[in-house]
Amino acid sequence: MPNYKIAIVGAGPAGYFTAQAFQNAQTDELTFSIDMIERLPTPWGLVRSGVAPDHPKIKTVSKVFEKIAKTEGFSLFANVELGKDISLKDLRERYDAVVLATGSSKGRKLGIPGEELPNCISAAEFVPWYNAHPDFINVEVDLNTDTAVVIGAGNVAMDVARLLAINPLELDPTDTAEHALVKFKQSQIRKVIICGRRGPEHAAFTAPELRDLPKLENTDVYIDTEQINQAASRIEQLGEVEKDLRNNLEAMRLIAEHNKKGVERKLEIRFLSAPIEIKGRDKVEEIVFAINEVKDGKVIATGKTITIKAGLVVTAIGYDAVEYAGINIENGRITNIAGHVEHNVYVTGWAKRGPVGVIGTNKSDSNDVVELIISNLTEPKVSEGVSSLLKSGHEVIDQLSWEKINASEVISGEIAGKPRIKEVDWKRLISLGRS
Ligand code: NAP
């Protein structure tokens, strides 16, 4: 009975759904041994370090990941870095298929003057900072300003803006990083402005996330009704309106028209404002925007500008895949054809298709890639796996060690009335896994 050895690099949603697709494809005649390799000492990828802490429901998908991890034939090798502890060449030689599920973690750049000023931060740093990612604990975030600007009209921009705009006491019962919670509680920010460069009809927000905004207890959310009306009449002229777009505009209209509570914390969403310069002496002080308009379906500059005074800018304008030896990146993605990279190397998730889609999108994507891999399999290899490639003494966090870390975090959380308190220190994470 052929048993194929599969290496999956990256223990995020795309990696787990790939493992699940292999598990689901097993028959009496075909089985898979799956080694999941992860650079961090903890698995779950963006479910741990990306999903907003005030959206705990989304994180319940981790239960699915743990079920996959407990299925026979699955092994976790966390605290093992591709390109440092093991090479892609080694994996290619020893495994029947290697699937890269390494995501996109490099924040895209605006490419405008002043972007390098202190307190202009990419969401690629800000989000893992408040989510206790061990690589981002020292990100310098200064919240000692009354206004923050978030650039981008997608769900990441919305997460970031919400976290900055809500009363931090609302984060007490969440798994927000302790260091971030302290900073949020000292924050002087009372106004957060999300700026999208195109119109409401072009925004990448999704309706369920928009519909949550008027429900915020301690924050009033503003959108200019006129911008929504104009967008609605523009799209009506184009003919049939797609359901998602109609829902989005409706959700924005609800925000624009809902009664304000008159609280001091404010979140505003502005459209047709493209950043052209960030100014400040020693840190961000103001942002200059070109005002755009939509004419004949095209977004064009009006020639007018507006300046917003703000002491913090967070850019949430998308991500690119990280580069490492032996891998080509094109347009921010690992070069691939329908998930095939070269020889027995494949790619899935954001690294394959770019940073689009929610967690569940990775499921169908991974199913397709696994189907392709299975159709390309030949004679199974006879070789040793990851352990034989690592230097002696290398501390691997396997599933059992991870369960110890997980249990320890959950127990600390229970005492504090939170789902968990995340450990942020790499060494302490490893020693928790050893305990
Ligand atoms: P996104 O949805 O692609 O949004 C990126 C935004 O940045 C767009 O509005 C884009 O505007 C804007 N942008 C790009 N370059 C810009 C520039 N130079 N200047 C100004 N604006 C610029 O990306 P994302 O927000 O990072 O989210 C990634 C994926 O994760 C999305 O599929 C999202 O739905 C998903 N996600 C889901 C949730 C959730 O379900 N709760 C939470 C977070 C993320 P243009 O359209 O004009 O390019």
Side-chain angles (χ1 to χ4, degrees):
M1 177 174 84
N3 176 56
Y4 289 98
K5 290 168 75 70
I6 310 293
I8 297 173
V9 185
Y16 278 102
F17 286 131
T18 302
Q20 188 185 48
F22 277 114
Q23 290 171 349
N24 290 344
Q26 292 195 111
T27 63
D28 290 344
E29 280 81 44
L30 178 69
T31 58
F32 301 101
S33 297
I34 300 161
D35 289 350
M36 181 177 272
I37 296 152
E38 165 62 46
R39 188 179 78 86
L40 288 176
T42 54
W44 302 357
L46 282 183
V47 170
R48 185 174 164 97
S49 63
V51 173
D54 61 338
H55 280 171
K57 254 196 204 158
I58 301 179
K59 299 188 192 214
T60 55
V61 69
S62 58
K63 289 196 183 123
V64 177
F65 299 164
E66 287 306 280
K67 198 167 164 220
I68 295 164
K70 283 181 167 33
T71 302
E72 202 186 322
F74 179 100
S75 307
L76 176 68
F77 293 86
N79 194 35
V80 176
E81 183 172 349
L82 178 65
K84 185 173 146 226
D85 303 315
I86 45 168
S87 70
L88 188 59
K89 183 172 168 288
D90 287 335
L91 292 181
R92 261 175 41 187
E93 283 167 5
R94 281 158 206 249
Y95 287 86
D96 295 296
V98 181
V99 187
L100 304 170
T102 42
S104 319
S105 52
K106 240 170 67 175
R108 288 191 186 138
K109 292 272 178 199
L110 284 171
I112 61 170
E115 195 176 7
E116 306 310 325
L117 277 170
N119 239 26
C120 175
I121 303 167
S122 165
E125 294 183 348
F126 189 68
V127 173
W129 169 75
Y130 66 60
N131 273 327
H133 187 304
D135 288 348
F136 295 89
I137 36 181
N138 294 322
V139 173
E140 301 245 353
V141 184
D142 181 356
L143 305 181
N144 191 18
T145 171
D146 54 4
T147 305
V149 162
V150 181
I151 294 171
N155 284 335
V156 171
M158 204 197 296
D159 281 348
V160 165
R162 209 180 50 251
L163 268 276
L164 287 168
I166 60 176
N167 185 327
L169 295 176
E170 295 173 56
L171 293 173
D172 271 340
T174 72
D175 63 359
T176 308
E178 295 293 291
H179 57 252
L181 203 48
V182 170
K183 274 263 173 93
F184 282 135
K185 286 186 177 170
Q186 294 163 352
S187 169
Q188 297 300 310
I189 295 170
R190 293 296 176 269
K191 184 166 189 182
V192 182
I193 308 171
I194 297 180
C195 295
R197 62 179 170 179
R198 297 194 288 155
E201 68 270 47
H202 309 115
F205 307 126
T206 47
E209 281 63 34
L210 284 165
R211 284 192 206 107
D212 277 345
L213 292 181
K215 297 180 201 156
L216 294 179
E217 277 179 35
N218 301 297
T219 311
D220 276 330
V221 187
Y222 297 81
I223 299 183
D224 176 15
T225 314
E226 197 45 37
Q227 285 202 322
I228 306 301
N229 288 342
Q230 287 169 1
S233 75
R234 282 192 297 264
I235 60 165
E236 292 301 340
Q237 282 166 19
L238 295 175
E240 207 175 312
V241 183
E242 273 181 36
K243 194 172 156 229
D244 285 351
L245 176 52
R246 203 169 343 110
N247 286 343
N248 252 17
L249 284 181
E250 206 38 55
M252 289 186 214
R253 186 184 298 286
L254 281 179
I255 294 173
E257 291 174 356
H258 85 283
N259 284 337
K260 308 298 182 249
K261 298 173 277 285
V263 291
E264 61 166 347
R265 295 175 191 276
K266 295 180 175 42
L267 196 173
E268 183 185 341
I269 305 179
R270 285 191 198 180
F271 295 97
L272 296 166
S273 307
I276 50 174
E277 187 173 359
I278 299 172
K279 292 182 177 172
R281 275 164 65 115
D282 305 319
K283 68 185 268 279
V284 172
E285 287 173 18
E286 54 185 43
I287 307 102
V288 185
F289 290 90
I291 300 301
N292 288 336
E293 62 180 335
V294 188
K295 240 189 181 163
D296 304 325
K298 289 203 179 91
V299 179
I300 52 167
T302 59
K304 294 180 198 146
T305 60
I306 184 175
T307 299
I308 299 179
K309 290 203 179 304
L312 170 69
V313 174
V314 183
T315 58
I317 58 168
Y319 301 85
D320 288 333
V322 275
E323 290 145 43
Y324 44 90
I327 287 298
N328 273 334
I329 305 282
E330 251 176 59
N331 297 326
R333 287 168 247 172
I334 293 180
T335 310
N336 73 91
I337 298 172
H340 185 220
V341 178
E342 47 144 11
H343 304 286
N344 58 345
V345 181
Y346 298 82
V347 61
T348 185
W350 278 11
K352 167 183 173 248
R353 60 176 200 277
V356 282
V358 293
I359 290 167
T361 317
N362 295 298
K363 203 166 179 179
S364 50
D365 199 15
S366 296
N367 283 344
D368 292 346
V369 173
V370 168
E371 203 176 301
L372 175 70
I373 296 172
I374 292 175
S375 70
N376 286 344
L377 286 172
T378 53
E379 276 299 294
K381 288 188 176 157
V382 181
S383 62
E384 287 176 278
V386 185
S387 306
S388 63
L389 295 168
L390 296 170
K391 283 198 191 115
S392 78
H394 185 105
E395 291 209 61
V396 171
I397 298 290
D398 59 11
Q399 182 60 22
L400 190 64
S401 307
W402 157 239
E403 284 171 16
K404 288 180 188 169
I405 297 172
N406 195 17
S408 159
E409 288 187 344
V410 170
I411 289 166
S412 319
E414 263 168 26
I415 299 162
K418 298 165 186 273
R420 67 175 63 238
I421 293 182
K422 287 182 196 159
E423 176 54 66
V424 294
D425 182 78
W426 200 297
K427 283 194 181 128
R428 281 204 298 271
L429 278 164
I430 289 175
S431 71
L432 280 178
R434 217 187 280 141
S435 64

